[in-house]
Amino acid sequence: MKRMILFGSGVSLLGIVGLGTLVIWPIGLKPNPIELIGDVDRGAYLARASGCIACHTDFEGGGAPLAGGVKLDTPFGALYSANLTTDPEHGIGDWTIEEFAQAVRQGISPEGEPYYPAFTYPFYANFTDQDIADLWAAFQTVPAVSQPAPSHQMAFPFNQRWGLKLWRAAFLEPPRTGPIEGNDPVWNRGRELVEGATHCAACHTGRNILGARNSDDEHFAGNPSLPGGNKAPAIDHETLQSRDWTVDALAYALKTGITPSGDAFGGSMGEVVLQGTQFLTDADRQAIATYLMDHHSGG
């Protein structure tokens, strides 16, 4: 009996030590110094394409641009988007460009803590240093707003950020943005945008009970249970073709929000067009449509 008690105590101690190690275990890679000159206009364009304005501006509440506070209801609790203005206390005004790069590409805060995957950083992992420099230059032009975003309201154990280290180890996947040999530049540009900056799979791919995308067998197959009670239809090429979409019709819808049947996008997709894709170039919208209508060729 004494041996069993000692054994049980030892197991408990090992468990505590293991948990403590996990809590303090560092994650991510330290970014190399970025000394490139950023292009403000290109950075603003990339921010639009990436959904930064839509997700970090509380339009309904009359919030200032990029001041955060947008509520996202999830099965695990409520999340609020962060303040991305140049305010040094509540925004990113005291960050370095390297800390910004680590946040955008790796989903890790300046303090070394993992961000919740509602932040679509997995799609931005292949952003180049020039992309980061351009985004950084654009964000430096945003007026400071001294207003903290509301605290997340996550139920236990999802309010324990160290647990996200396990989630990352199990589910974090690299983006599929690289060009596929044999496809033309328009298709490859569409792939770069769809699988990267515009992160279409974030909404249009089903997820498991822990919130990870089922990318292997449900990529673009739709998601009936988006946060807030919304749903996203399938956008695989077979479904799009069966619903009379064409490349030109899809590119037009990404600019205007008008579907081939004459209806208008509603809900979150309407917001995507209003705050994002309508600002893209005709060439980029055409590239997105080209890829989505044929993404089986390497997607």
Side-chain angles (χ1 to χ4, degrees):
M1 176 65 73
K2 185 177 180 180
R3 289 182 178 179
M4 291 180 64
I5 293 174
L6 289 174
F7 178 76
S9 299
V11 171
S12 297
L13 180 59
L14 287 173
I16 293 171
V17 171
L19 178 59
T21 301
L22 177 63
V23 170
I24 64 174
W25 192 266
I27 55 175
L29 300 173
K30 184 178 180 180
N32 293 322
I34 298 176
E35 300 177 349
L36 299 170
I37 302 300
D39 183 317
V40 172
D41 291 337
R42 186 174 183 275
Y45 183 87
L46 185 55
R48 281 286 189 187
S50 302
C52 303
I53 287 81
C55 289
H56 292 269
T57 304
D58 183 9
F59 293 102
E60 290 187 6
L66 293 170
V70 179
K71 185 179 182 182
L72 184 67
D73 288 313
T74 78
F76 316 105
L79 296 171
Y80 293 86
S81 60
N83 182 332
L84 298 185
T85 73
T86 49
D87 182 74
E89 181 178 0
H90 302 300
I92 62 173
D94 65 344
W95 290 21
T96 66
I97 188 173
E98 288 78 20
E99 290 171 336
F100 179 73
Q102 190 173 46
V104 170
R105 293 193 292 213
Q106 300 185 48
I108 300 171
S109 74
E111 295 75 31
E113 294 295 323
Y115 287 118
Y116 286 102
F119 171 31
T120 50
Y121 65 86
F123 296 89
Y124 310 147
N126 286 349
F127 278 5
T128 67
D129 282 357
Q130 188 63 62
D131 292 333
I132 295 296
D134 294 341
L135 282 169
W136 182 247
F139 279 120
Q140 298 313 294
T141 68
V142 180
V145 177
S146 182
Q147 175 181 315
S151 299
H152 299 318
Q153 300 169 355
M154 303 293 283
F156 183 84
F158 307 110
N159 60 351
Q160 304 297 305
R161 284 186 183 265
W162 55 263
L164 291 171
K165 297 177 183 180
L166 297 174
W167 189 96
R168 293 166 65 99
F171 301 119
L172 190 60
E173 57 184 276
R176 313 175 182 198
T177 54
I180 300 295
E181 187 176 354
N183 288 288
D184 65 40
V186 173
W187 188 95
N188 278 322
R189 173 58 175 168
R191 174 179 170 85
E192 179 185 10
L193 288 166
V194 168
E195 306 287 2
T198 61
H199 56 271
C200 301
C203 289
H204 292 273
T205 296
R207 294 177 180 264
N208 64 24
I209 60 172
L210 293 178
R213 282 175 284 136
N214 296 320
S215 295
D216 290 339
D217 53 5
E218 295 184 35
H219 194 56
F220 294 150
N223 187 343
S225 55
L226 290 178
N230 294 314
K231 58 184 179 180
I235 56 170
D236 60 279
H237 83 283
E238 294 95 344
T239 300
L240 290 174
Q241 290 177 357
S242 71
R243 295 176 180 173
D244 298 325
W245 287 95
T246 65
V247 169
D248 287 343
L250 184 51
Y252 181 75
L254 292 172
K255 180 177 182 179
T256 64
I258 305 300
T259 70
S261 64
D263 291 334
F265 287 139
S268 55
M269 191 61 204
E271 185 177 81
V272 167
V273 173
L274 182 64
Q275 304 299 337
T277 57
Q278 71 158 319
F279 295 97
L280 301 183
T281 63
D282 289 340
D284 274 350
R285 284 190 293 267
Q286 195 77 9
I288 289 172
T290 298
Y291 176 72
L292 285 174
M293 293 299 298
D294 188 42
H295 67 250
H296 66 296
S297 300

